[in-house]
Structures are given as structure tokens and as C-alpha cells.
Amino acid sequence: MTDEELEAKIKAITFWSGKNSMTIEDIATVQPGLARIMPEIGARTWKLYYAAKEKNWPMAKFQYKEIKGLFELGGFMRPKHEEAINQYLVENWKPLEAAIEAKDFAAFEKAFNDSIDAANAYHELKEKPYIRWKLPETPPPDMDMKPRGAAK
């Protein structure tokens, strides 16, 4: 069997989702791009900041790791942005990890603000200057950011 014949057979296979029959190309089409991933990154970044501010370091560490994974997924799904995303993760996102591990909010806040400035600069570099993320002025209303068992 040639590579072309194998590819044709794979493309002809359908998968049942429980609601719809889809080809492998259909499945690829519905995978999230950056337009779907970035709002989740923004929401988690909001939670990351306020978790650190409340010294809920386990929550901050969790959000940090989830955001990093979402960035990596975004780079994988949109290869034209992968190099810039990887550079951002190394140069601008990684400093947050050390501040979280040290449980040092002052260092965290500086690294956080620097990372947001860099993210917005990347938006400009990628010809999307109209995308400018900012930290909301209040903690997210859907979670109590204080560590479990902390005084209210």
C-alpha cells in the first residue's frame, strides 16, 4: 500500500462522537485555535494573580501550570505562532514560576506585570494591536482566592 492509498483510507474512516459521524479532517477542523484558547488563558491569568495576592500559592502554581499548558496547546495548534509562544514562555512566563516557588508576592507582581507587558507587545508584533489584555481590578467572582481554611 502506498502512502497516498493509506492517506485515502484514513481520510475515509469516520468516528462516531455519540451525536455525529466525523472524519479525521472534521475532527481537526473543530480543534481550538488561539481565538478560543486565549480567553481561557486570560481567565486563568486573572485567577493566578489574585491567588498569589492572597498567598494561595498552591492555586497560583496550579493556574501557572494550566496556563503554560494552554500556551503550549496554542503553539501546537497554530504552528505559525509556536516560535513566538515558546520564546514568550521562556523569557516572560518562566520568571513567574520562581516567584511562586519562593512564595514572594513582590517578585511575582513584578514578573507578572512584565509578562503582561510582553504579551501585549507580542500582540502588536503579530499585527493585532487591538488585543490588549489587562488585569481586572477585582478578584474573579467565581472563586474564593484565599487558601482553604484561611480567615475570611
Side-chain angles (χ1 to χ4, degrees):
M1 180 180 310
T2 68
D3 287 349
E4 291 80 18
E5 290 169 330
L6 178 59
E7 183 177 341
K9 285 185 180 280
I10 291 171
K11 286 182 177 182
I13 297 171
T14 61
F15 301 87
W16 180 248
S17 71
K19 296 181 178 37
N20 193 7
S21 189
M22 294 184 280
T23 67
I24 194 102
E25 289 175 333
D26 294 332
I27 294 168
T29 299
V30 299
Q31 295 307 302
L34 289 174
R36 286 180 41 203
I37 294 169
M38 291 308 293
E40 184 174 352
I41 288 173
R44 288 185 177 278
T45 301
W46 181 16
K47 290 174 179 171
L48 166 64
Y49 177 85
Y50 283 101
K53 187 173 183 180
E54 290 290 343
K55 299 185 178 9
N56 186 345
W57 298 111
M59 170 63 85
K61 186 175 184 176
F62 171 73
Q63 295 297 344
Y64 171 86
K65 286 182 176 183
E66 291 296 310
I67 294 163
K68 184 175 182 280
L70 286 165
F71 271 122
E72 290 167 348
L73 176 61
F76 175 76
M77 294 306 298
R78 296 298 181 261
K80 76 177 187 176
H81 296 296
E82 185 175 24
E83 184 178 340
I85 288 171
N86 288 339
Q87 181 180 1
Y88 175 79
L89 288 173
V90 169
E91 294 176 8
N92 307 108
W93 197 247
K94 184 81 173 148
L96 291 166
E97 186 176 25
I100 292 168
E101 288 299 320
K103 300 178 181 174
D104 180 346
F105 183 72
F108 172 87
E109 189 169 39
K110 181 184 180 334
F112 182 89
N113 289 329
D114 290 348
S115 73
I116 299 309
D117 289 343
N120 287 324
Y122 272 104
H123 292 146
E124 291 177 20
L125 181 68
K126 295 298 181 175
E127 299 179 5
K128 297 196 182 319
Y130 48 86
I131 299 174
R132 187 158 180 80
W133 192 84
K134 71 173 193 154
L135 177 67
E137 295 177 11
T138 60
D142 64 332
M143 294 186 81
D144 181 354
M145 301 312 286
K146 292 179 180 67
R148 187 174 177 136
K152 302 264 180 197

